[in-house]
Amino acid sequence: LYGRSCVNGLCCGLAGVDRADPPVTTQARGTPVGKTERPSRYLMEHSGEGDRLERKTDAAASRHQLLRAGLKESMTALDAGAGTGAVGRVMADIVGSTGVAIALDRSPQRLGFAPTRQSRVVGLAGDVSQPPLANGSIDFVWARFLLEYAPDPLSWVRSLAQLLKQDGSLVLVDLDHAG
């Protein structure tokens, strides 16, 4: 990450922005954006992918969906399979300065996309099957168009559900392949 500060006992931030660190586990399974890690093979990795993902994300529609699903100010929110962090940036606006928005994706290249680097989103490179976050630490998990890439979707859902606080919400949005 680009800067370090502490808020309410959680530390770190991006580009000097005062905000909390995601509740990362002590067993590091992810790499904060800005750190060097050997790139993983990513299904849709090519030079234009970041631009494509940005173009297909409608911020107003995402905001409406997130609010309707229950995302609120001050929450700790996770966008699982975040790509460029476009939805994470909308989450950051909703949770405000007292909340934390985390964009988790297996591709550090996607998370390093310019608009996300300049936002209040904490970008975290890691695998959804073993998220690099502490169990019971997240209020709201958003996973949109993620499960279609999962070799074992149920295991990914279980991994994400373990991250939730007791009254947390896991919102899964995906394609209906059956009809």
Side-chain angles (χ1 to χ4, degrees):
L1 298 174
Y2 301 105
R4 186 158 185 88
S5 61
C6 295
V7 177
N8 297 330
L10 297 174
C11 295
C12 217
L14 289 173
V17 176
D18 287 337
R19 61 179 297 96
D21 236 356
V24 178
T25 59
T26 54
Q27 177 186 4
R29 292 180 291 205
T31 303
V33 174
K35 301 279 184 175
T36 303
E37 180 179 269
R38 187 173 165 207
S40 62
R41 184 159 158 71
Y42 185 57
L43 177 67
M44 301 171 84
E45 195 67 56
H46 58 80
S47 61
E49 182 62 5
D51 289 327
R52 186 191 73 81
L53 290 171
E54 286 292 309
R55 282 192 312 273
K56 77 177 221 173
T57 302
D58 179 335
S62 294
R63 180 177 183 78
H64 176 76
Q65 292 167 350
L66 291 164
L67 289 169
R68 191 157 180 187
L71 184 61
K72 297 180 176 96
E73 187 175 2
S74 300
M75 284 185 160
T76 298
L78 172 66
D79 181 10
T84 62
V87 173
R89 292 191 304 274
V90 176
M91 291 175 133
D93 289 340
I94 295 170
V95 301
S97 61
T98 57
V100 178
I102 305 162
L104 173 67
D105 198 271
R106 77 183 290 185
S107 172
Q109 295 84 3
R110 286 299 142 254
L111 291 171
F113 197 73
T116 299
R117 283 197 317 263
Q118 298 165 5
S119 74
R120 293 183 305 108
V121 177
V122 176
L124 191 61
D127 195 315
V128 172
S129 67
Q130 295 182 336
L133 297 159
N135 289 344
S137 62
I138 307 292
D139 296 301
F140 185 93
V141 175
W142 177 262
R144 182 172 179 245
F145 303 139
L146 174 70
L147 297 179
E148 61 192 277
Y149 301 106
D152 181 4
L154 187 55
S155 71
W156 283 20
V157 170
R158 286 184 183 126
S159 294
L160 293 171
Q162 290 177 341
L163 299 175
L164 294 172
K165 292 180 180 177
Q166 185 164 351
D167 294 326
S169 297
L170 171 58
V171 182
L172 304 170
V173 180
D174 224 308
L175 301 172
D176 178 4
H177 295 286

